[in-house]
């Protein structure tokens, strides 16, 4: 086939391109230039989509003997990902920029480019598996659970999934991927993995958010969610997420009791804290739902991940055509803005973005009024 490969300049996407070329496909490489934030350009290693990384992608394409294109999507990335990232924090939620990037710049724009170039598929370096099922393409977890990225791909549409390929999904480990890079003699075989968000040069994401949305850096009160007592002052809501125990200063402990972030009242610039045992909830509601399987007409037993790095937990999914309500077998901590992703074994059924529970949002407000 003629296949467009999204090449970030890292090891994973480079191996994906190399394997497909080795298999005899006509491979075309494409790199998206997404940002240029000074320190993030040039010397910084292990990011993606800027400076040195674009140069590395071109070096790999040259080594493989494939054509390579660089597409300027900086303005699009800023609108769809960076601005959304800041807006989500300003609402008192915790964003997942990788999902937004996959939803827009990567899969939407690159699928369109692939079709324009006459390609029959788009391949990426994601750790996930595309499996042909009785009703079409299915998204499954990667063979290596430690590297699995299916959680971040839940918003991929069924049409996009049918068009996509994930050559690394069956690899048992990252070591095996690096071994493939060495065997293919790719110049990035030893390049370190990215550890931070690609558009935040030094991991200080709150600085970016506060620059774009200054109100998120304004100080406010830390309030006991159950008792309504003001316990201290915080340095801006962009520094906090539900479940967090750090950054609370003296408010983190009341006597023998340790407190954690239970909610964020963005309108009043208040961080609500409570004992950890209060945080887990049995029911979680998600919006912006995307189904990769047939939407259930009746309550559906499944497993669900509320955070990328946690194991799927048993739940019962209720779908009313607009909102997804999950009843968890074991109560879990759900941070608004994060994703609730549904699985049937290794298969991704769909998912949505977690919303604040109405009752929980109102109770602290009554307590501190």
């Amino acid at each position: 086939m003629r296949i467009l490969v999204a090449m970030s300049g890292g090891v994973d996407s480079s191996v994906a391109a190399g394997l497909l070329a080795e298999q005899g496909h006509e491979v075309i490489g494409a790199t998206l230039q997404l940002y240029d934030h000074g320190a993030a350009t040039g010397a910084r290693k292990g990011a993606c989509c800027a400076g040195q990384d674009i140069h590395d992608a071109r070096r790999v394409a040259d080594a493989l003997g494939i054509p390579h294109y660089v597409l300027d999507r900086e303005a699009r990335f800023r609108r769809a990902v960076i601005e959304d990232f800041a807006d989500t924090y300003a609402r008192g939620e915790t964003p997942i920029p990788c999902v937004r990037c996959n939803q827009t710049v990567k899969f939407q724009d690159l699928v369109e480019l692939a079709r324009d170039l006459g390609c029959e598929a788009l391949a990426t370096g994601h750790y996930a598996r595309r499996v042909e099922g009785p009703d079409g393409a299915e998204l499954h977890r990667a063979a290596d659970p430690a590297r699995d990225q299916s959680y971040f791909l839940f918003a991929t549409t069924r049409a996009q999934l049918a068009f996509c390929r994930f050559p690394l999904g069956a690899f048992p480990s990252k070591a095996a991927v690096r071994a493939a890079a060495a065997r293919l003699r790719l110049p990035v075989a030893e390049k370190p993995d990215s550890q931070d968000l690609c558009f935040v040069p030094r991991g200080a994401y709150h600085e970016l958010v506060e620059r774009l949305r200054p109100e998120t850096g304004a100080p406010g009160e830390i309030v006991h969610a159950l008792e309504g007592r003001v316990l201290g002052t915080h340095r801006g809501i962009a520094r906090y997420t539900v479940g967090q125990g750090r950054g609370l200063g003296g408010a983190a402990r009341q006597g023998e009791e340790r407190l954690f972030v239970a909610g964020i009242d963005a309108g009043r610039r208040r961080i609500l804290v409570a004992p950890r045992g209060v945080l887990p909830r049995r029911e979680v509601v998600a919006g912006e739902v995307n189904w990769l399987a047939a939407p259930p007409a009746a309550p559906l037993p499944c497993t669900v991940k509320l955070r990328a790095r946690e194991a799927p937990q048993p739940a019962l999914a209720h779908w009313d055509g607009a909102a997804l309500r999950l009843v968890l077998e074991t109560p879990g901590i759900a941070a608004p803005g994060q994703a609730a992703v549904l699985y049937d074994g290794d298969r991704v059924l769909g998912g949505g973005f977690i919303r604040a529970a109405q009752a929980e949002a109102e109770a602290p407000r009554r307590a501190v009024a």
Side-chain angles (χ1 to χ4, degrees):
M1 295 192 294
R2 175 182 289 177
I3 302 178
L4 183 71
V5 179
M7 299 179 66
S8 69
V11 178
D12 296 332
S13 59
S14 298
V15 170
L19 291 173
L20 292 171
E22 184 179 55
Q23 293 166 10
H25 299 290
E26 181 186 350
V27 175
I28 301 172
T31 300
L32 300 172
Q33 179 179 329
L34 301 181
Y35 66 95
D36 182 357
H37 285 178
T41 307
R44 181 175 179 235
K45 298 286 187 179
C48 70
C49 314
Q52 181 65 42
D53 310 293
I54 294 174
H55 175 66
D56 288 342
R58 181 172 287 119
R59 288 169 60 213
V60 171
D62 289 344
L64 295 173
I66 64 173
H68 177 251
Y69 298 94
V70 177
L71 293 88
D72 182 356
R73 291 295 185 272
E74 191 171 337
R76 163 89 154 136
F77 184 73
R78 183 179 179 87
R79 290 193 306 270
V81 180
I82 298 178
E83 296 286 346
D84 177 81
F85 182 78
D87 287 340
T88 304
Y89 270 113
R91 293 195 301 269
E93 301 178 354
T94 305
I96 316 180
C98 294
V99 172
R100 290 301 189 196
C101 185
N102 288 336
Q103 270 185 306
T104 55
V105 182
K106 288 187 178 176
F107 285 95
Q108 190 176 92
D109 291 9
L110 285 179
V111 166
E112 292 177 3
L113 174 64
R115 294 190 188 281
D116 288 344
L117 293 175
C119 295
E120 299 166 72
L122 167 70
T124 75
H126 286 99
Y127 287 83
R129 290 183 297 133
R130 175 188 175 279
V131 176
E132 281 296 335
D135 298 317
E138 301 174 355
L139 178 63
H140 287 239
R141 299 175 73 190
D144 180 4
R147 306 293 301 187
D148 174 55
Q149 294 175 304
S150 61
Y151 177 89
F152 298 102
L153 297 172
F154 83 87
T156 307
T157 68
R158 283 193 254 188
Q160 289 168 348
L161 182 60
F163 194 71
C164 289
R165 302 293 185 273
F166 307 112
L168 304 189
F171 274 74
S173 66
K174 183 59 180 270
V177 174
R178 288 198 179 276
R183 180 181 60 79
L184 293 165
R185 300 188 178 187
L186 301 180
V188 295
E190 300 299 324
K191 186 175 181 178
D193 291 340
S194 175
Q195 299 297 322
D196 301 321
L197 294 179
C198 67
F199 56 90
V200 182
R202 295 173 299 278
Y205 67 90
H206 64 87
E207 295 179 2
L208 170 66
V209 176
E210 290 167 9
R211 190 163 63 248
L212 295 175
R213 303 291 181 270
E215 68 274 18
T216 65
E221 297 172 333
I222 300 176
V223 178
H224 198 296
L226 303 180
E227 301 173 5
R229 291 186 294 121
V230 176
L231 304 178
T233 303
H234 65 78
R235 294 186 295 159
I237 62 173
R239 298 169 182 262
Y240 299 91
T241 184
V242 169
Q244 179 177 326
R246 296 176 298 176
L248 297 172
R253 188 174 294 277
Q254 297 296 300
E256 296 299 316
E257 186 176 62
R258 189 179 176 195
L259 303 179
F260 298 80
V261 177
I264 300 173
D265 185 341
R268 298 186 178 188
R269 298 203 308 273
R270 282 171 166 165
I271 300 298
L272 308 172
V273 296
R276 191 170 184 83
V278 175
L279 271 59
R281 62 197 211 210
R282 189 170 293 278
E283 291 197 9
V284 175
V285 176
E288 292 185 66
V289 178
N290 180 62
W291 290 104
L292 289 172
L300 175 69
C302 61
T303 59
V304 61
K305 291 179 68 168
L306 302 179
R307 291 178 183 266
R309 295 182 181 178
E310 70 179 21
Q313 301 296 324
L316 193 63
H318 301 259
W319 171 244
D320 65 5
L324 174 64
R325 184 169 65 90
L326 300 167
V327 180
L328 308 177
E329 185 174 293
T330 302
I333 296 176
Q338 293 284 287
V341 179
L342 280 59
Y343 293 83
D344 177 9
D346 281 340
R347 183 186 180 188
V348 178
L349 301 176
F353 292 94
I354 297 170
R355 300 303 184 218
Q358 189 65 28
E360 293 178 5
E362 291 175 353
R365 189 177 285 270
R366 289 196 297 271
V368 300

